[in-house]
Amino acid sequence: MIIDSHVHAGEYHRHYTAEFADQMMATTGRPPQALSAPEAALIAEMDAAGVDMAFLLAFEVSRVEGFSVPGEFVAEMCARHPGRFVGFASVDAGRPGAAADLRHAVADLGLRGLKTAPCYLRMSPADRRWYDVYATAEELGVPLLVHTGYTPSKKADARYFSPLLLEPVARDFPGLTVILAHLGTPWTGPCVELLARHPNLYADLSIFGSYRPAPTVAAALEHARKAGVLDRILWGTDYPFATMTASVARMAELAGDPGLWPDGAPLTPEEHTALMGGTAARLLG
Ligand SMILES: [Zn+2]
């Protein structure tokens, strides 16, 4: 079972602003129009890469970026493809009613997770305005996938990039499962150490696993193994910012080539299976 734990719903003309697409795609070497996941193309990419299921994310940043990918849109895609997607809602705690929005998304739309983008919203993830939202997610038993690390968006606030900002959240909501996106890139070391301090924290490999050199990814995974948290790392791509086919091949390369690893010990078959989907399946119950 292969599960991509970080996939963005949304289409170039329909959802994103040209400014956002320009800034975000510039670092990938692909055109701004590639920031698009039309339903048929996404399903075709999953099938080509052997991806059984994906966490499909809404994205609520309209207060700052002027657009959103709504939970309703995500829920409709989930309904058209039973068993292929786990839909994630997205809310902005800088607006009134965010916790109620999450409750509606879970109770009425059938979404099963929450994606937040604090730095894009110019808020710390530890800002107290999020606490109603976190308490609601904890009560409803839905995981939080939170952006951590760098983003090329010029409207984002770089003071809120660090994964370490999640420490008070991990402590104050021990029953909330929190997935730190992008392994906190470029702060992957501190991110791994933070996971070691809090058992309710996970991290995904999206973007980092696709774009950093293979030995760099291997070194980060070896760090996670030594810190005892490799079983809380999830494979993901951030599609359409990266392709699934190339990323699946990259992970297979990491499992098969001892020469890429500082200690010469590549992923075991069990570790590889867990990383590619076993851990995500366990997290969802
Ligand atoms: Zn993302």
Side-chain angles (χ1 to χ4, degrees):
M1 166 83 91
I2 299 185
I3 302 176
D4 187 333
S5 64
H6 194 132
V7 172
H8 286 275
E11 297 172 23
Y12 179 66
H13 285 297
R14 185 168 176 178
H15 297 107
Y16 301 106
T17 62
E19 182 188 22
F20 181 80
D22 284 350
Q23 292 170 7
M24 296 300 287
M25 297 310 280
T27 52
T28 68
R30 298 161 70 211
Q33 293 80 3
L35 177 50
S36 198
E39 194 165 323
L42 170 54
I43 294 289
E45 174 74 2
M46 290 171 69
D47 290 345
V51 173
D52 299 288
M53 190 181 278
F55 293 4
L56 189 65
L57 313 177
F59 197 63
E60 175 50 74
V61 289
S62 49
R63 179 170 54 82
V64 174
E65 296 279 3
F67 74 87
S68 72
V69 179
E72 287 79 2
F73 179 77
V74 170
E76 286 163 13
M77 281 179 69
C78 293
R80 281 192 289 270
H81 302 278
R84 297 308 295 276
F85 296 121
V86 177
F88 275 54
S90 188
V91 300
D92 173 5
R95 285 182 156 168
D101 290 346
L102 173 61
R103 199 174 285 282
H104 163 68
V106 174
D108 304 324
L109 301 179
L111 300 183
R112 294 169 58 194
L114 170 66
K115 165 70 197 268
T116 61
C119 68
Y120 292 88
L121 295 167
R122 300 179 183 145
M123 293 170 72
S124 169
D127 190 304
R128 286 280 165 168
R129 287 174 289 176
W130 288 107
Y131 270 39
D132 261 4
V133 172
Y134 297 153
T136 301
E138 187 177 40
E139 176 205 324
L140 296 173
V142 297
L144 164 67
L145 170 57
V146 55
H147 175 91
T148 63
Y150 175 80
T151 168
S153 166
K154 295 203 167 40
K155 286 180 177 159
D157 191 325
R159 289 175 297 172
Y160 306 131
F161 285 178
S162 171
L164 296 181
L165 294 168
L166 270 302
E167 168 131 273
V169 177
R171 196 175 49 228
D172 292 342
F173 298 92
L176 176 65
T177 295
V178 182
I179 307 163
L180 309 179
H182 319 302
L183 199 61
T185 305
W187 299 283
T188 57
C191 187
V192 165
E193 298 299 336
L194 191 62
L195 261 63
R197 290 167 59 82
H198 299 283
N200 54 330
L201 294 186
Y202 291 68
D204 81 44
L205 282 183
S206 62
I207 297 293
F208 175 76
S210 295
Y211 286 108
R212 296 294 163 121
T216 304
V217 178
L221 290 172
E222 188 170 285
H223 180 198
R225 181 195 275 147
K226 285 179 174 159
V229 303
L230 186 55
D231 63 350
R232 282 186 274 134
I233 308 284
L234 314 172
W235 172 74
T237 58
D238 212 11
Y239 182 91
F241 295 101
T243 68
M244 294 178 190
T245 39
S247 189
V248 166
R250 160 62 74 79
M251 299 315 294
E253 184 192 353
L254 284 170
D257 186 352
L260 295 171
W261 293 72
D263 283 0
L267 293 175
T268 66
E270 293 74 23
E271 288 170 341
H272 184 234
T273 300
L275 192 65
M276 297 307 291
T279 300
R282 187 187 79 218
L283 180 154
L284 292 170

